[in-house]
Amino acid sequence: MMSSNRQRPVVVALLATTMIAGMSAVPATAQNAPSAAPAPVPAATPAAGTIRSISVTGQQRLEPDTVLSYTKLRIGQTFTQESLDQALRDLYETELFADVQIRNDNGALTVEVKENPVINRIVLEGNKRLKEDKIRPEIKLAPRQIYTRSKVRADVARIIELYRRQGRFAATVEPKMVQLDQNRVDIVFEISEGPKSKVRQINIIGNEKFKDGELRSQMVTKQSRWFRIFSSGTSYDPDRLAYDQQKLRQFYLTEGYADFRVISAVAELTPDKQDFIITYVVEEGQRYKFGAVKVNSDIRDLSGDSLTKMLPMKKGDWYNAKQVEDTVDTLSETAGLFGYAFADVSPDFNRDKDTLTMGIDFRIANAPRVYVERVDINGNTLTQDKVVRREFRLAEGDAFNSFLVKRSKDRINSLGFFQEKLDIEQKPGSAPDRIVLETNVQEKSTGELSLSAGFSSLERFIVSASITQRNFRGKGQELRTSVNYSAYSKSVEVGFTEPYFMDKNIALGGDIYRRDLNSFRYLNNNDRDTTYQQTTTGFQLRAGVPITEYMSLALRYTLNLDDVTLDKDTYYSADANGVLQCDPILAGRYLCDAIGKRTTSSIGYSLIYDTRDNRIRPTRGNNVVLSQDFAGLGGSVKYARTRLNGSKYWPLGKGFIFSLSAEGGYIHSLEGDRRDSTGALVDPVRLTDRFFLGEPQIRGFDIRGIGPRVVRRYYTTTTNSDGTFTGTETTGTNNRTDDALGGRIYYMARAEVEIPLGSGAREMGLRPSVFVDAGAVGGLKNPALIGEAGGVNNGFPGYCSSSTNSSLTTVKATGTVAAPLCPANYDTVSSGFKEEYLGDTLKPRVSVGFGVNWNSPFGPFRIDIAKALLKEPGDDTKLITFNVGTQF
């Protein structure tokens, strides 16, 4: 698109002054040229006689013989004034000439022509909302073509129509011609786009049974209002106007008004050409009820009486046309289940206007039972045929079954290799009892090479790189490798999955990984500091086999080498022998218990029941998974862990999707009692093997913000005059720490509704939802807290420091003991703390909120705003969570 202030030759003779606008304007034409071809100029002298000679002057590109070939004038023929006028008209109709004259000198005819110029280039100016790549396909004029008025008119009309389809009815286009040398011109389309025409008002006349608002809610077109900023339905579209008439009729027919009709639908453009006012005139008619309803079947395997009993409508119910349509589909599917693919189901209506009843006779015409002749697969260029064929539940020679066709479609969609508009067409075969299943697929990219960077409320700054091929070599294999780095976690992973090992329905796969986790605790609910570091190196082998169409069994073996450490400068102190040991005063007994190296060798299985229509973005169906893992097949860790989770999806209509999900788990140690370094009993399940809950599992709470935890509050101690000590809780940025301990048992549940938006928002990738989350984790053995040793529960430990001894000694004061708090070689106590064990309850925590997924131009973005409705002391809540990244 060129700027209008560029330097260019002088614009001579604008194409026309008439602009094309709105719905009734006429395109502009060339200089001094009316909308039709010029009237022929009569010969200079009275024309009558015989043509002695014909010459052509003024032509530049055309040969004289070519010019004469467009006329019927020939040497030796007689001519009249009418024949000369016809010759002029013939030459103008070629649209090759800007001006034509015929001169007669006693039979010597001279044809003087001025050729139309050649187009040098096409220039668009003023188009901002529609880019050139959208407009230029509509322009039929092209460089090096001959300029003609009709083509300019047609191109302007097409540009105007293009803007109309975008809802810009106030757009105008003014074509201009820039004359160049050698009889060449530039054609400039100056476009004034104008604002987008909205629907200001929708009026409905004649409705008595339903209010205007209820009828407007059935329409795709919506009145322009501020709260519909993301809706595309507020723009005027003539095609949508016709569709809305059908929507009105469908609504009335579902309510029993079988005689309803739309008398007229008028869209008026406001004088300022900014908005439209739409007016519908309707006639509702009388409301009908169902009369006698039955099914007559000519197919031997389908009993009409049995099918009649299964009909959803009964005599006396209000008539519902949608219910009739659904019944026809259901009967067709029922016939398809028995192999009758081409069964014709037609409803015969018996309308009685006196009793206002509608009797219906569903007739199932006789048809042969159909068998699958062949399965054709089209459109797959990378994916091998067998990858698609093995997802089919029907093979050549099988009896046709409509349910298995739908199931095959769902399985192919779940592969994720093809666009969602996959279709399995049912076409007649070589005989009446044969059918061809033609699968038309459109492949999409299955390889991903991505580098991403972003910021997460969970892990702060994130950098990741991954290479994934979900359809490796076109065989449906998955090969992946990834590297992730954030403030609290780092990982490297390589994995491979073969879904059909040796073309058998057995899946095999494996993963090799290294994961480094820096666990953290909260300081004053906002800041965090690192506690333990966990390094995991291991691998997993996987296998899966189907049991039934919807049930499968997955087996796995996992070997992990874990190394849990604490920072020695922060959490260690020297014992009496000068050996550095984990200090419970500094780290807490639960963290000191977690450190060390251990090996986990486990075997597990998952029993999966899955009826979802799409495993990637399901809209209906359910999924249930029972998993168990047993550690102790060698190694130093022994436990049994069980998990059960399930989800169900319902389409609510109009794009709404409702889902319920729930899960729970329990881990049981197989090692017996465990004791820490002081000999105190501790929970038999190690800290790193427990369950944790919070963000992102339950929104409205911080990461690991739910469940058992030890909260340490710090105090400043002072010595009283009587020798006792007083502790005052400190204030400031680091007056408390919060260590989540996890639990041995957990449960959680979620209810969520995905809300559809207009097509404009869908194109932006916006998917909002509202949700309710609930859950809890607990079941730990109460940990031994600092401050409870020796049965003293109302005091607090203190730090005793010495200028000659760098170690720290734990001491106690109850507030009544007058003895010195520190040994003689130590200074006085300077500070202390008190620990509390909170949150170990299975009472439900509940949060409610809403969130939005957005596939933004700079990467995927997710934001959730959730409010915790039920919580327990010690829980850490969080109102807003988000995650954003970018790919390049």
Side-chain angles (χ1 to χ4, degrees), residues 422-433:
L422 182 144
D423 187 29
I424 300 179
E425 296 185 18
Q426 303 169 19
K427 295 187 174 181
S430 58
D433 63 344

Side-chain angles (χ1 to χ4, degrees), residues 855-866:
N855 295 328
S856 68
F858 46 86
F861 180 87
R862 171 76 191 188
I863 184 170
D864 290 296
I865 300 177

Side-chain angles (χ1 to χ4, degrees), residues 431-571:
D433 63 344
R434 295 290 183 267
I435 189 173
V436 175
L437 300 179
E438 185 175 285
T439 306
N440 299 303
V441 301
Q442 183 180 352
E443 290 185 324
K444 64 181 181 182
S445 176
T446 56
E448 299 174 2
L449 170 60
S450 67
L451 299 174
S452 63
F455 187 85
S456 168
S457 58
L458 275 72
E459 301 186 82
R460 303 296 191 257
F461 186 72
I462 304 170
V463 177
S464 66
S466 65
I467 301 175
T468 304
Q469 176 52 262
R470 292 179 288 107
N471 189 13
F472 185 56
R473 299 188 299 166
K475 296 183 176 181
Q477 301 165 337
E478 181 175 333
L479 177 65
R480 63 187 180 278
T481 178
S482 64
V483 178
N484 294 280
Y485 178 90
S486 73
Y488 293 101
S489 66
K490 307 171 186 64
S491 67
V492 178
E493 185 171 346
V494 178
F496 177 79
T497 302
E498 169 56 77
Y500 279 78
F501 181 65
M502 298 183 67
D503 292 330
K504 304 295 183 181
N505 202 355
I506 301 174
L508 290 180
D511 302 281
I512 303 174
Y513 46 83
R514 166 67 180 261
R515 301 165 183 156
D516 294 345
L517 170 66
N518 295 333
S519 187
F520 56 84
R521 64 185 176 187
Y522 292 99
L523 306 175
N524 297 331
N525 294 327
N526 295 316
D527 299 327
R528 307 174 185 176
D529 70 344
T530 300
T531 52
Y532 66 86
Q533 296 87 39
Q534 179 181 359
T535 299
T536 302
T537 304
F539 69 88
Q540 184 180 83
L541 299 177
R542 294 172 279 104
V545 293
I547 300 176
T548 67
E549 175 63 24
Y550 298 104
M551 185 176 292
S552 59
L553 176 67
L555 304 174
R556 57 187 168 272
Y557 171 76
T558 306
L559 178 64
N560 287 335
L561 304 178
D562 293 308
D563 185 9
V564 181
T565 59
L566 289 170
D567 183 66
K568 292 185 178 181
D569 293 336
T570 305
Y571 299 108

Side-chain angles (χ1 to χ4, degrees), residues 565-582:
T565 59
L566 289 170
D567 183 66
K568 292 185 178 181
D569 293 336
T570 305
Y571 299 108
Y572 278 59
S573 63
D575 59 11
N577 299 320
V579 179
L580 286 177
Q581 299 284 348
C582 179

Side-chain angles (χ1 to χ4, degrees), residues 41-42 44 54-60 67-68 71 73 87-88 91-92 97-104 108-115:
V41 178
I54 305 176
S55 61
V56 179
T57 63
Q59 82 282 359
Q60 293 178 328
V67 176
L68 294 176
T71 71
L73 301 177
L88 288 174
L91 289 172
Y92 274 119
F97 308 105
D99 187 29
V100 181
Q101 294 185 26
I102 299 179
R103 300 188 182 278
N104 174 24
L109 302 182
T110 301
V111 181
E112 296 179 0
V113 298
K114 181 180 179 182
E115 294 180 357

Side-chain angles (χ1 to χ4, degrees), residues 22 96 118 200 230 304 317 502 545 682 709 828:
L96 297 175
V118 174
R200 181 181 299 177
F230 293 115
D317 294 345
M502 298 183 67
V545 293
V682 296
R709 62 195 58 249
T828 58

Side-chain angles (χ1 to χ4, degrees), residues 26-293:
V26 178
T29 57
Q31 172 198 9
N32 298 328
S35 59
V41 178
T45 60
T50 302
I51 300 175
R52 294 186 295 108
S53 65
I54 305 176
S55 61
V56 179
T57 63
Q59 82 282 359
Q60 293 178 328
R61 298 178 303 273
L62 299 175
E63 294 294 331
D65 291 342
T66 303
V67 176
L68 294 176
S69 68
Y70 295 125
T71 71
K72 298 178 181 179
L73 301 177
R74 300 293 183 267
I75 297 176
Q77 293 181 350
T78 59
F79 67 93
T80 63
Q81 183 65 48
E82 289 76 13
S83 63
L84 294 182
D85 291 345
Q86 182 61 45
L88 288 174
R89 285 191 290 268
D90 292 341
L91 289 172
Y92 274 119
E93 286 176 358
T94 65
E95 295 189 326
L96 297 175
F97 308 105
D99 187 29
V100 181
Q101 294 185 26
I102 299 179
R103 300 188 182 278
N104 174 24
D105 185 9
N106 296 323
L109 302 182
T110 301
V111 181
E112 296 179 0
V113 298
K114 181 180 179 182
E115 294 180 357
N116 274 333
V118 174
I119 297 173
N120 179 56
R121 60 177 177 168
I122 307 294
V123 180
L124 300 175
E125 293 185 350
N127 56 306
K128 297 179 180 179
R129 299 297 181 180
L130 284 179
K131 301 303 180 183
E132 288 201 16
D133 58 349
K134 300 292 185 182
I135 299 177
R136 286 199 176 273
E138 302 294 327
I139 298 176
K140 302 308 177 185
L141 286 174
R144 295 183 295 277
Q145 286 186 359
I146 303 298
Y147 160 78
T148 65
R149 293 181 296 273
S150 61
K151 289 183 179 179
V152 172
R153 290 196 299 269
D155 285 345
V156 171
R158 278 190 288 267
I159 296 174
I160 289 294
E161 181 60 29
L162 187 63
Y163 273 97
R164 286 179 181 174
R165 292 200 295 268
Q166 298 293 322
R168 299 184 183 276
F169 284 80
T172 62
V173 178
E174 183 177 0
K176 294 184 178 180
M177 181 172 66
V178 182
Q179 289 187 348
L180 307 174
D181 57 0
Q182 299 179 357
N183 201 22
R184 296 176 302 120
V185 293
D186 286 346
I187 304 299
V188 181
F189 292 101
E190 292 188 352
I191 302 172
S192 175
E193 295 179 315
K196 204 165 188 178
S197 301
K198 301 290 186 179
V199 176
R200 181 181 299 177
Q201 185 71 31
I202 299 177
N203 300 319
I204 304 174
I205 301 174
N207 55 309
E208 298 177 356
K209 305 298 182 181
F210 301 97
K211 296 181 179 180
D212 288 4
E214 188 173 0
L215 297 180
R216 291 193 194 105
S217 67
Q218 304 300 320
M219 303 177 187
V220 177
T221 304
K222 303 297 181 183
Q223 296 179 133
S224 178
R225 298 293 185 268
W226 66 268
F227 53 84
R228 294 195 177 108
I229 185 173
F230 293 115
S231 175
S232 62
T234 58
S235 300
Y236 174 72
D237 186 340
D239 296 334
R240 195 182 294 148
L241 185 67
Y243 180 70
D244 284 338
Q245 294 181 58
Q246 294 298 323
K247 293 286 288 182
L248 279 176
R249 176 167 173 77
Q250 290 175 8
F251 172 74
Y252 270 94
L253 288 177
T254 58
E255 297 295 329
Y257 295 89
D259 296 327
F260 171 83
R261 65 191 183 102
V262 178
I263 298 176
S264 66
V266 179
E268 297 177 290
L269 189 61
T270 56
D272 59 3
K273 296 184 180 179
Q274 299 289 319
D275 298 313
F276 277 87
I277 298 176
I278 301 175
T279 302
Y280 294 94
V281 179
V282 302
E283 182 181 305
E284 293 178 322
Q286 297 295 321
R287 194 178 188 187
Y288 284 73
K289 291 185 176 182
F290 280 112
V293 182

